[in-house]
């Protein structure tokens, strides 16, 4: 059974930084692309960033230059480093992968507020 567990969310002031982590178990982590999504209550889930098994990254325009996705295959972990945070980044952030089906973590809440 594939499981994804996120951590690292919290309350941060505008301009601050957070690093989210997502630990994956139950699969050969290094073989698969990983994604981060976010969702504000009442709104549609938004794709944020992706990293392929080979380390190629891609980002939604609104976070380019501020967020960095990375992976540590030895630790079965994908990270999302978030810098220069803005109030509009407030959301529940979830990691995702697709191995014959989609798998999601439970999400971690990020609140950007003064």
């Amino acid at each position: 059974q594939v499981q994804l567990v996120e951590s690292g969310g919290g309350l941060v002031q505008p301009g601050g930084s957070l690093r989210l982590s997502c630990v994956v178990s139950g699969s050969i982590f290094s073989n698969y692309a990983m994604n981060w999504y976010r969702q504000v209550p009442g709104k549609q889930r938004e794709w944020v960033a992706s990293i392929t098994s080979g380390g190629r990254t891609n980002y939604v325009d609104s976070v380019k230059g501020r967020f960095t996705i990375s992976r540590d295959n030895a630790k079965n972990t994908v990270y999302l480093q978030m810098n220069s945070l803005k109030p509009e980044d407030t959301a529940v952030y979830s990691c995702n992968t697709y191995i014959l089906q989609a798998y999601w973590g439970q999400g971690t809440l990020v609140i950007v507020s003064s």
Side-chain angles (χ1 to χ4, degrees), residues 10 32 71:
Y32 300 101
R71 66 192 299 159

Side-chain angles (χ1 to χ4, degrees), residues 29-66:
F29 174 77
S30 60
N31 287 1
Y32 300 101
M34 296 295 302
N35 311 293
W36 283 99
Y37 285 78
R38 63 187 179 186
Q39 188 169 24
V40 176
K43 293 191 175 181
Q44 218 168 4
R45 182 182 285 157
E46 176 188 39
W47 167 77
V48 176
S50 294
I51 185 166
T52 67
S53 59
R56 184 175 298 177
T57 60
N58 202 7
Y59 302 91
V60 67
D61 285 347
S62 60
V63 308
K64 282 181 181 176
R66 300 188 298 122

Side-chain angles (χ1 to χ4, degrees), residues 54-98:
R56 184 175 298 177
T57 60
N58 202 7
Y59 302 91
V60 67
D61 285 347
S62 60
V63 308
K64 282 181 181 176
R66 300 188 298 122
F67 290 12
T68 302
I69 188 171
S70 62
R71 66 192 299 159
D72 185 338
N73 290 336
K75 295 182 178 180
N76 281 14
T77 302
V78 61
Y79 302 99
L80 186 67
Q81 177 67 44
M82 307 186 294
N83 299 329
S84 303
L85 282 161
K86 304 175 181 180
E88 51 264 43
D89 295 318
T90 295
V92 175
Y93 285 72
S94 300
C95 60
N96 155 270
T97 190
Y98 187 89

